[in-house]
Amino acid sequence: MAEISIIGAGPAGLIAAQTLAQAGHRVTIFDQMASVGRKFLLAGRGGLNLTHSEPLPDFLPRYGASQSFLAKALDIFSPDDLRAWCTSLGQDWFIGSSGRVFPTVMKTSPLLRAWLARLAALHVTIRPRMRWMGWNEQGALLFQNAAYELEQFNPDATILALGGASWPRLGSDGTWVDLLLGRGIDVAPLKPANCGFIVPWSPIFRGKFIGHALHHITASFAGQIAEGEAIISDYGIEGGVIYGIGSGLRDHIEQHGEATMHIDLRPEMSHNETMRRLRAIRARESTGNTLRKALSLSPVAISLLRESTMDIPRDSEKLAGFVKAVPLRLIGTQNIGRAISSAGGIKWSALDEQLMLRRHPGLFAAGEMIDWEAPTGGYLLQACFSTGTQAARGVMNWLAARHP
Ligand SMILES: Cc1cc2nc3c(=O)[nH]c(=O)nc-3n(C[C@H](O)[C@H](O)[C@H](O)COP(=O)(O)OP(=O)(O)OC[C@H]3O[C@@H](n4cnc5c(N)ncnc54)[C@H](O)[C@@H]3O)c2cc1C
């Protein structure tokens, strides 16, 4: 039986603890917050989207460049395993019309309560208010406790599951980046992911439409396309459809200072059908009335057209083209502190296939602190559960190889 330290009590750290404790190891989880799973709890506020029901060939590409690395993790702990885990904690789940998987109660709290009871039964020790500070000169883990005293630990193996840098007041503040860089570990800068974008709205539009939704639209940028809805906010635009193409937009803005995406306000209608409907409206109607009557566009959608050009075309063919590709100029990303997740983190090249840090035997990593990103839809939690399990298995394999 080995002594394992896990730092970070989010889903990645907790599932790693469960896996190791079930195999008979002594596990201690450290977290700097007063209670565990704070971001996991927040994720349940708008409906906890645990995973997605689509088949793996559709699921894996959601991780973009990281899909080949995460394929192994999802093989070890699949979307089906995540649903079975939820059931095993006494929580039913359902598949929504979008294919997303939710616990029936939609919230995190009953699930987390049952999970913590299971971990307690497995004799997992949880040490809240323990801020990880790095290592001392002898290589022991250093923590600052609630009384601001330093405590040190020398476990047989360690799993880092410190999360990204969004919503830092919930504990994941990304301060671990400098600790790892200081040890020569390659970390890609943390950037906002699944975040809103800044749009230079006119004062009139901003004054009238904050909080309004654009339903059933598609947004596209550089070959990426997503469908869903977007919400107008005081700083710009946010929502699932924007998150779906957000990584490309973010990277383009980083390089060029701005990006123009295109919104199709009537994606279910072909260009010809849109044009036919526009033509069917009498010529003396105003453009606003024509758009409302022919295409049932909402006031916010019609104003968005006006917002993006001084001169809305009157010609039906041009107007149809415009409705189906409204250009929207974005000039920045929302602050990482308010993003749903973060991109960047420990580079895959710094990890071996067991998620152990190369040149740092016995040190493993899991969850959002690794350099992958994905849109919303349950892909974030799935990758955290899968890499948490993979890192725990990695620890067991590594221990077994040392003490056959
Ligand atoms: C508003 C919101 C809604 C979301 N909804 C969903 C959803 O429906 N579906 C989905 O798939 N994903 C969702 N997510 C994302 C998901 O919650 C995260 O991807 C996931 O929680 C990351 O898990 P993790 O274990 O890697 O890290 P975290 O959950 O961030 O946990 C990391 C832990 O490490 C601790 N820690 C950090 N630094 C230190 C330190 N120095 N010392 C000690 N402890 C430290 C933190 O306190 C924290 O408890 C949502 C996120 C947000 C913000």
Side-chain angles (χ1 to χ4, degrees), residues 8 10-12 31-32 43 49 130 132 162-163 167 171-172 340 368 381 384:
D31 200 288
Q32 62 179 336
N49 181 194
M130 289 286 277
W132 181 54
L162 296 153
W167 290 79
S172 327
I340 288 180
E368 208 181 301
L381 284 173
C384 293

Side-chain angles (χ1 to χ4, degrees), residues 7 26 67 74 88 99 103 188 200 208 217 229 233 284 303 305 319 321 331-332 335 355-356 361 378-379 389 392 402:
I7 316 178
R26 276 194 309 270
Q67 60 179 296
L74 265 79
S88 76
K208 241 174 137 180
I217 58 168
E229 71 169 38
S233 66
R284 63 186 152 85
S303 295
L305 286 164
L319 186 53
I331 55 168
N335 186 296
L355 300 187
M356 186 166 81
Y379 308 106
T389 309
R402 284 176 83 210

Side-chain angles (χ1 to χ4, degrees), residues 7-14 30-33 35-51 100 102 130-133 143 161-168 170-176 179 338-342 366-369 372 375-384 387:
I7 316 178
L14 294 175
F30 300 90
D31 200 288
Q32 62 179 336
M33 300 304 282
S35 58
V36 307
R38 299 286 290 269
K39 194 180 283 184
F40 191 35
L41 282 166
L42 177 72
R45 218 189 268 168
L48 181 69
N49 181 194
L50 273 177
T51 184
R100 297 174 181 212
F102 301 90
M130 289 286 277
R131 179 172 176 72
W132 181 54
M133 310 291 285
F143 291 88
L162 296 153
S166 74
W167 290 79
L170 302 181
S172 327
D173 55 16
T175 50
W176 54 265
L179 296 177
R338 299 297 288 180
I340 288 180
S341 59
S342 46
E368 208 181 301
M369 72 181 301
W372 54 267
T376 53
Y379 308 106
L380 301 167
L381 284 173
Q382 180 68 54
C384 293
T387 53

Side-chain angles (χ1 to χ4, degrees), residues 20-331:
L20 285 158
Q22 276 169 339
H25 295 292
R26 276 194 309 270
V27 181
T28 306
I29 311 178
F30 300 90
D31 200 288
Q32 62 179 336
M33 300 304 282
S35 58
V36 307
R38 299 286 290 269
K39 194 180 283 184
F40 191 35
L41 282 166
L42 177 72
R45 218 189 268 168
L48 181 69
N49 181 194
L50 273 177
T51 184
H52 203 285
S53 61
E54 66 195 0
L56 270 186
D58 296 327
F59 200 117
L60 274 171
R62 309 288 180 184
Y63 298 108
S66 291
Q67 60 179 296
S68 60
F69 299 103
L70 285 168
K72 177 154 188 215
L74 265 79
D75 188 41
I76 289 173
F77 192 88
S78 68
D80 285 345
D81 292 329
L82 186 39
R83 291 191 239 173
W85 167 86
C86 184
T87 307
S88 76
L89 288 173
Q91 298 298 313
D92 291 334
W93 46 267
F94 71 97
I95 300 176
S97 54
S98 59
R100 297 174 181 212
V101 177
F102 301 90
T104 308
V105 292
M106 296 297 276
K107 292 188 293 187
T108 307
S109 38
L111 195 58
L112 185 58
R113 252 196 316 275
W115 200 5
L116 293 178
R118 170 178 291 176
L119 293 178
L122 289 166
H123 307 291
V124 170
T125 305
I126 296 182
R127 299 275 322 260
R129 292 200 173 92
M130 289 286 277
R131 179 172 176 72
W132 181 54
M133 310 291 285
W135 295 267
N136 69 9
E137 280 174 6
Q138 289 72 43
L141 297 171
L142 266 188
F143 291 88
Q144 187 184 63
N145 64 23
Y148 297 100
E149 295 155 352
L150 287 181
E151 291 188 39
Q152 58 187 55
F153 295 86
N154 256 312
D156 296 300
T158 301
I159 298 180
L160 302 176
L162 296 153
S166 74
W167 290 79
R169 66 186 171 81
L170 302 181
S172 327
D173 55 16
T175 50
W176 54 265
V177 171
D178 286 341
L179 296 177
L180 298 200
L181 287 174
R183 299 281 282 198
I185 296 167
D186 256 356
V187 181
L190 298 179
K191 300 177 191 176
N194 295 305
C195 62
F197 286 86
I198 300 169
V199 183
W201 297 130
S202 67
I204 295 177
F205 185 83
R206 182 183 283 115
K208 241 174 137 180
F209 293 110
I210 288 177
H212 284 240
L214 293 159
H215 297 291
H216 310 301
I217 58 168
T218 62
S220 57
F221 178 75
Q224 281 185 300
I225 184 158
E227 61 176 282
E229 71 169 38
I231 315 283
I232 307 299
S233 66
D234 57 345
Y235 66 85
I237 193 160
E238 57 192 33
V241 73
I242 309 295
Y243 306 155
I245 58 167
S247 58
L249 288 170
R250 179 197 61 220
D251 295 345
H252 191 89
I253 292 172
E254 205 173 87
Q255 282 178 21
H256 305 283
E258 62 175 62
T260 299
M261 67 171 191
H262 288 90
I263 293 180
D264 184 343
L265 294 168
R266 278 283 167 266
E268 75 289 358
M269 224 178 258
S270 69
H271 179 273
N272 281 349
E273 171 66 3
T274 312
M275 195 170 64
R276 193 192 60 73
R277 288 189 184 214
L278 287 167
R279 276 195 183 139
I281 305 293
R282 278 178 305 186
R284 63 186 152 85
E285 291 282 5
S286 68
T287 310
N289 272 350
T290 305
L291 289 164
R292 185 172 51 79
K293 289 183 180 169
L295 307 175
S296 309
L297 288 189
S298 62
V300 60
I302 294 169
S303 295
L304 184 76
L305 286 164
R306 294 214 170 91
E307 192 68 5
S308 61
T309 177
M310 302 286 288
D311 206 11
I312 298 187
R314 290 286 300 173
D315 168 73
S316 301
E317 183 168 6
K318 284 192 184 141
L319 186 53
F322 196 47
V323 166
K324 295 194 64 63
V326 188
L328 190 61
R329 192 165 73 95
L330 312 173
I331 55 168

